[in-house]
């Protein structure tokens, strides 16, 4: 287990004990165990909303009727809860934090989830501020820009319950497990109850296992329209590039594969491009539009990231690069073209 993860797990165990002690010392909310939420959703109309509340090990579900986009509901809270509001079709509309006695006022848009205003408690107001300040990045969905924004936010709001909520909603952990662990370490104990933080641990644990994974034979679909099995051996190293129709057409990805094929001998490095396209038609079309170097083997993964053997590497997005040695041991895994090039000692 990597040292950063060992330290983090030890810190979490200590935090659990402190949290248990704190919970035993909690006083009830007296005569006001409820919190109340009023909301207005631009463009929603009239329908029943679903509200999911997370508190400790408990998950509560309730409904709230929106009439001309306006709704209200109340619920009990002996300690802070994280809430999510969904349409009756299951579309996530908004997130919030609430505590006993809170009176929250929320305004958001059915068309633009980044438009969110909140009054009533500081954590939800800080969440709304993050969304307003980073509306363009949220709309674009660029992981690098959003990750940087989340890290800045957490650096300024280490004591806020908004921080774990912002991390879970907007941070892409694949390839950034170490930085995720460092962010969680920075959070004040009171701002990271285990019922919020525990789901954030999963990428850390999956990433730690993937960093030391040994490759197993992977059954794929080959460019010759026949089944194929990809396994280590036959060269000192095997580079697997996981792509799709969009990422395969990126100049940086093409340049990396072309330079690797040109600068490394077949005895030193085998290269496999493994497609996560939705179907073989999209895969074949993108290969025609963006031909791969002759030395690069082309495959389609029937189950995408969940294909047996691929799931060991915790590939959460594309493009993604995994290098294994002749025994199948992972040498590196990264979503970054530049990092892959540096590890392979290739100048782009």
């Amino acid at each position: 287990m990597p040292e950063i993860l060992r330290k983090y797990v030890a810190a979490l165990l200590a935090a659990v004990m402190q949290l248990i002690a704190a919970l035993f010392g909690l006083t009830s909310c007296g005569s006001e165990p409820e919190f109340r939420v009023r909301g207005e959703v631009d463009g929603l109309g009239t329908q029943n909303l679903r509200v999911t509340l997370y508190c400790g090990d408990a998950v509560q579900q309730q409904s709230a009727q929106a009439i001309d986009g306006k709704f209200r509901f109340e619920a009990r809270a002996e300690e802070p809860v994280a809430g999510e509001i969904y349409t009756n079709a299951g579309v996530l509309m908004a997130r919030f934090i609430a505590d006993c006695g809170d009176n929250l006022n929320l305004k958001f848009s059915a068309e633009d989830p980044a438009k969110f205003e909140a009054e009533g408690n500081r954590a939800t107001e800080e969440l709304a501020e993050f969304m307003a300040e980073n509306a363009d990045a949220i709309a674009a969905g660029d992981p690098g820009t959003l990750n940087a924004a989340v890290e800045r936010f957490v650096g300024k709001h280490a004591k806020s319950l908004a921080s774990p909520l912002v991390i879970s909603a907007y941070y892409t952990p694949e390839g950034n497990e170490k930085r995720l662990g460092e962010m969680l370490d920075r959070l004040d104990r009171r701002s990271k109850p285990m019922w919020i933080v525990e789901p954030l641990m999963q990428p850390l644990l999956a990433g730690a296992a993937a960093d030391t994974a040994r490759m197993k034979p992977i059954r794929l679909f080959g460019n010759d329209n026949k089944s194929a099995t990809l396994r280590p051996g036959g060269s000192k190293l095997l580079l697997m590039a996981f792509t799709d129709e969009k990422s395969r057409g990126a100049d940086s990805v093409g340049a990396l594969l072309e330079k690797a094929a040109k600068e490394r001998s077949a005895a030193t490095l085998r290269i496999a491009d493994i497609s996560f396209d939705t179907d073989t038609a999209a895969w074949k079309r993108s290969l025609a539009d963006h031909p791969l170097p002759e030395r690069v083997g082309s495959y389609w993964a029937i189950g995408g990231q969940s294909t047996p053997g691929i799931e060991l590497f915790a590939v959460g997005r594309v493009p993604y690069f995994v290098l294994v040695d002749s025994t199948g041991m992972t040498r590196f895994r990264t979503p970054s073209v530049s990092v892959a090039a540096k590890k392979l000692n290739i100048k782009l």
Side-chain angles (χ1 to χ4, degrees), residues 49-163:
L49 301 176
R50 292 194 293 109
V51 182
T52 302
L53 303 173
Y54 302 89
C55 183
D57 293 328
V59 178
Q60 302 176 34
Q61 297 274 1
Q62 67 181 70
S63 62
Q65 187 178 27
I67 299 176
D68 292 332
K70 296 181 179 180
F71 67 91
R72 59 172 295 174
F73 65 88
E74 59 184 44
R76 298 181 65 84
E78 297 295 341
E79 56 182 302
V81 301
E84 295 175 337
I85 302 174
Y86 294 84
T87 66
N88 58 10
V91 178
L92 178 62
M93 301 288 290
R95 296 178 174 89
F96 63 89
I97 293 284
D99 203 351
C100 51
D102 280 350
N103 286 286
L104 282 174
N105 289 293
L106 309 178
K107 293 183 68 175
F108 46 99
S109 168
E111 303 297 329
D112 186 354
K115 289 184 178 180
F116 182 52
E117 299 176 19
E119 293 180 352
N121 73 36
R122 188 58 189 145
T124 306
E125 291 167 5
E126 288 168 345
L127 170 63
E129 290 167 6
F130 174 86
M131 294 171 65
E133 292 172 2
N134 298 282
D136 291 343
I138 292 171
D142 176 63
T145 303
L146 273 177
N147 280 3
V150 171
E151 290 174 14
R152 288 193 300 271
F153 179 86
V154 173
K156 296 177 181 178
H157 301 86
K159 294 184 178 181
S160 174
L161 278 169
S163 284

Side-chain angles (χ1 to χ4, degrees), residues 114-341:
K115 289 184 178 180
F116 182 52
E117 299 176 19
E119 293 180 352
N121 73 36
R122 188 58 189 145
T124 306
E125 291 167 5
E126 288 168 345
L127 170 63
E129 290 167 6
F130 174 86
M131 294 171 65
E133 292 172 2
N134 298 282
D136 291 343
I138 292 171
D142 176 63
T145 303
L146 273 177
N147 280 3
V150 171
E151 290 174 14
R152 288 193 300 271
F153 179 86
V154 173
K156 296 177 181 178
H157 301 86
K159 294 184 178 181
S160 174
L161 278 169
S163 284
L165 207 61
V166 167
I167 294 171
S168 63
Y170 299 109
Y171 197 79
T172 300
E174 291 84 12
N176 303 290
E177 292 86 358
K178 181 178 178 180
R179 297 182 73 87
L180 173 60
E182 291 170 347
M183 273 199 300
L184 294 177
D185 279 339
R186 285 200 297 271
L187 294 180
D188 184 88
R189 174 180 61 83
R190 291 165 294 182
S191 71
K192 55 178 180 182
M194 288 303 297
W195 49 271
I196 292 182
V197 173
E198 188 173 5
L200 302 178
M201 280 292 293
Q202 297 309 312
L204 290 174
L205 299 175
D211 284 339
T212 57
R214 185 187 292 273
M215 181 184 178
K216 297 179 180 179
I218 305 172
R219 293 186 63 83
L220 300 163
F221 191 74
N223 198 23
D224 58 359
N225 295 322
K226 297 179 181 179
S227 63
T229 300
L230 185 65
R231 51 171 52 92
S235 62
K236 292 181 179 179
L237 300 167
L238 168 63
L239 175 66
M240 290 177 283
F242 298 95
T243 61
D244 63 5
E245 186 174 9
K246 181 179 179 181
S247 61
R248 193 177 302 111
D251 291 340
S252 57
V253 174
L256 174 65
L257 298 181
E258 186 174 346
K259 293 272 282 187
K262 182 178 180 180
E263 296 181 11
R264 299 290 178 268
S265 69
T268 300
L269 181 68
R270 280 196 301 146
I271 308 171
D273 177 86
I274 301 173
S275 169
F276 287 168
D277 285 319
T278 54
D279 53 44
T280 56
W283 171 47
K284 292 295 184 69
R285 181 174 60 249
S286 70
L287 286 178
D289 293 339
H290 308 284
L292 295 169
E294 186 175 346
R295 263 196 55 208
V296 177
S298 181
Y299 306 91
W300 180 64
I302 299 173
Q305 292 96 324
S306 301
T307 300
I310 293 178
E311 90 286 354
L312 294 174
F313 301 114
V315 179
R317 54 179 163 136
V318 291
Y320 207 91
F321 307 94
V322 177
L323 184 76
V324 300
D325 62 22
S326 60
T327 69
M329 289 300 298
T330 301
R331 300 288 287 272
F332 72 74
R333 44 186 289 276
T334 179
S336 169
V337 171
S338 60
V339 170

